[in-house]
Amino acid sequence: MALRLAMAAGFAALAVSLTACQDGSMGGGVPLRALTPVPAKTLALMAQKGMSTNDPILIRAYKKEAEMEVWKRGTNGQYALLKTFPICRWSGQLGPKTKQGDRQAPEGFYTVTPGQMNPNSSYYLSFDTGYPNTYDRANGRTGNYIMVHGTCSSSGCFAMTDESMGELYALARDSFAGGQRAFQFQSYPFRMTAQNFAKYRNDPNAPFWKNLKEGSDYFEALRDEPRVNVCGTRYVFGGQDVAAGSCSPKVDTLVAEKRAHDNQQIAELIAKGTPATRVVYDDGGQNPVFRPQAPPSTLAFANLTKKDEPEGPYDPKDYARHHLGEVSRPESLAAGEREIEVDAKGRPVMIAAAEAPIPTKAAAAALKASSDKTKPGSVVAKKDAAPEPQKPARVMVADADADSPSYTKVLGSLFTPKTSPTPATPSADAATIPAAVAAETVQPAQKPGKPVHTAHIPSAHVLNAPSVTGAVGPKATTVAEPAKAGKAPGNATSPASKTASTKAAPSKEAAAKDAAPKAMTAAPKL
């Protein structure tokens, strides 16, 4: 009892030169905020759960969920959850801190003593997590003074609001005053559930996280603080045998049952198709309770639909009034977290927005037929191709730069201006222009000397022309054989040919007038 009174009396005079996230130090005196009592609401919660202010504590932190839990040990020797605090800011990514300046908040099992409490922190109040511990040093990790502190700004620390940090500080202070020599600080990337391990199974940090889960399983199965040892470059968790230095401790039955149950559940989730993912942040995150809330009217409506849902670990209204101070890198918080699917080696799986169509035998045969060098106007039969079902008539939307409007495909050149001839479209098929095909079957016989209207040529001939592009001059006219007498030279689809195919033959006088300019043009220059 005398020892406890001495510790309580001397606690306020502690002066240890520490910094919060490598900034700030203890001065000569102790500020009043370090002596603030535990809030009355929390004291009432303790009484409700059969706890006292001087009972030992244990703290657990979860990055992804951005939550920090305070547990207290009761008279039965087991820990029970007292209260959950939302983390206002943590930086970096999921995964352990490995070197100085990487902005990573540490992950692992740490020990916090009274000497690591900093009442004069530049960030309101703070305590040093104890990074690097024996495990970190065994794995070559560097850095120091990684804190839990107030003010919502982090460069590798766990940042709380000033109000939350004041309460955490008071809970730890009273436990030390009650005789606890040190409390355990457990830091995790996320809650150690089967669902999370199934999702993040291919993350590069997965082996390390499985090692952390061994300590988490011990605590959750027995509600007791695990003894921690380091053998080689791995954590070892257990009871008194671990405390004695054993690297092969006996596993408690309850702990073994929990591990077996979780492993079976992980295997089932993977078998059901749970994708392997990684979580990526621009620079850490924060609890959603600190993000801008929806309008009150929207919240009121949402509350009506959530009557059956369990109450959360904290009331958002309480934390909406907390002063956050200068929030670090708000643009990174606005970006939020992103889950990326990864392969067995942890590499991102790139999913194409649209898959390319799979070529069929019929398409390959058609492609081969169009590339064969055959006589102009001939139709190449498809070999070894199963007959395709008849397609319904359709109108294709033409490209503005390379194709004719859709209505010309259906109605031929009926509405085509004389000043803009419309060439045959190689991409059209017989189903696209049913009206043109029908017109071909009822076309009256042409008189000698009249060019044939090529808009009525069946599309099969066009598809098998020797050259899809650049078919001009005599080659273009070989698609259909007009009468040999009076064959019109040039492009058969010119405005002149279209007019000749629909109007009567001109008179001799008109022909003479039409021939006069041509004769003048042919005359030699003087």
Side-chain angles (χ1 to χ4, degrees), residues 10-224:
F11 184 82
L14 288 174
V16 180
S17 297
L18 296 175
T19 59
C21 280
Q22 305 178 44
D23 186 16
S25 61
M26 296 184 66
V30 178
L32 290 177
R33 58 176 175 262
L35 303 175
T36 303
V38 175
K41 190 174 181 179
T42 303
L43 291 175
L45 187 61
M46 286 186 194
Q48 179 184 344
K49 296 187 176 185
M51 304 171 180
S52 70
T53 57
N54 292 336
D55 287 337
I57 65 168
L58 181 147
I59 297 180
R60 311 181 89 196
Y62 306 93
K63 287 183 181 177
K64 188 177 185 301
E65 293 80 7
E67 292 180 335
M68 189 171 292
E69 299 173 341
V70 176
W71 294 68
K72 268 191 169 288
R73 190 174 68 191
T75 55
N76 61 353
Q78 291 187 332
Y79 281 87
L81 179 63
L82 170 62
K83 192 172 181 179
T84 302
F85 296 86
I87 297 175
C88 190
R89 193 73 171 90
W90 61 271
S91 59
Q93 307 290 332
L94 299 186
K97 181 175 183 64
T98 59
K99 61 182 179 180
Q100 180 86 22
D102 61 2
R103 296 186 64 83
Q104 286 288 106
E107 295 173 5
F109 286 70
Y110 299 91
T111 301
V112 180
T113 64
Q116 292 167 235
M117 305 294 289
N118 184 4
N120 291 303
S121 170
S122 296
Y123 298 102
Y124 193 72
L125 294 167
S126 68
F127 64 80
D128 192 317
T129 61
Y131 176 92
N133 61 12
T134 305
Y135 176 93
D136 297 322
R137 289 190 292 269
N139 286 273
R141 298 174 180 174
T142 60
N144 54 13
Y145 302 135
I146 305 302
M147 318 293 285
V148 175
H149 61 69
T151 306
C152 196
S153 177
S154 171
S155 58
C157 299
F158 293 98
M160 317 296 290
T161 64
D162 290 353
E163 291 86 344
S164 294
M165 190 61 225
E167 189 170 345
L168 285 168
Y169 194 95
L171 289 168
R173 179 197 65 210
D174 289 354
S175 294
F176 289 138
Q180 186 175 14
R181 296 185 178 183
F183 68 85
Q184 191 173 85
F185 179 76
Q186 304 175 4
S187 178
Y188 299 102
F190 42 74
R191 295 191 178 276
M192 303 277 101
T193 63
Q195 290 78 8
N196 281 335
F197 273 90
K199 289 174 61 176
Y200 308 131
R201 62 186 180 273
N202 291 343
D203 190 285
N205 294 302
F208 169 66
W209 293 340
K210 289 179 181 178
N211 191 196
L212 294 184
K213 187 177 182 297
E214 296 174 12
S216 176
D217 289 343
Y218 185 97
F219 178 79
E220 293 183 6
L222 303 177
R223 289 292 190 266
D224 188 19

Side-chain angles (χ1 to χ4, degrees), residues 506-520:
S507 61
K508 292 181 180 181
E509 291 79 0
K513 291 179 181 181
D514 186 49
K518 294 181 181 179
M520 293 177 63

Side-chain angles (χ1 to χ4, degrees), residues 286-464:
Q286 69 177 171
N287 193 282
V289 76
F290 299 111
R291 297 171 189 167
Q293 299 296 314
S297 58
T298 306
L299 292 176
F301 176 77
N303 291 334
L304 293 176
T305 62
K306 294 183 178 181
K307 289 184 177 180
D308 297 333
E309 294 185 9
E311 185 179 353
Y314 35 80
D315 187 354
K317 294 180 181 178
D318 292 341
Y319 291 92
R321 295 189 293 266
H322 283 202
H323 176 66
L324 305 186
E326 184 178 352
V327 180
S328 60
R329 299 193 177 184
E331 70 284 354
S332 299
L333 290 175
E337 65 180 47
R338 299 175 296 281
E339 283 204 359
I340 303 173
E341 188 172 351
V342 295
D343 60 15
K345 294 184 178 180
R347 298 171 301 190
V349 176
M350 304 303 294
I351 302 176
E355 296 181 356
I358 301 175
T360 61
K361 291 183 179 180
L367 181 62
K368 182 178 184 302
S370 64
S371 61
D372 286 342
K373 293 183 180 180
T374 57
K375 292 182 179 180
S378 64
V379 179
V380 180
K382 299 179 181 179
K383 297 181 180 180
D384 301 328
E388 297 182 4
Q390 187 176 1
K391 299 179 180 179
R394 55 189 170 87
V395 176
M396 297 179 65
V397 179
D399 179 72
D401 296 327
D403 204 356
S404 59
S406 58
Y407 68 83
T408 61
K409 297 180 181 180
V410 179
L411 302 176
S413 59
L414 184 60
F415 296 102
T416 305
K418 294 182 180 181
T419 56
S420 58
T422 304
T425 306
S427 61
D429 56 18
T432 309
I433 50 173
V437 176
E440 173 67 16
T441 60
V442 297
Q443 183 71 18
Q446 300 291 330
K447 295 181 181 181
K450 303 292 176 66
V452 177
H453 193 326
T454 56
H456 297 288
I457 297 174
S459 62
H461 295 274
V462 180
L463 285 173
N464 292 286

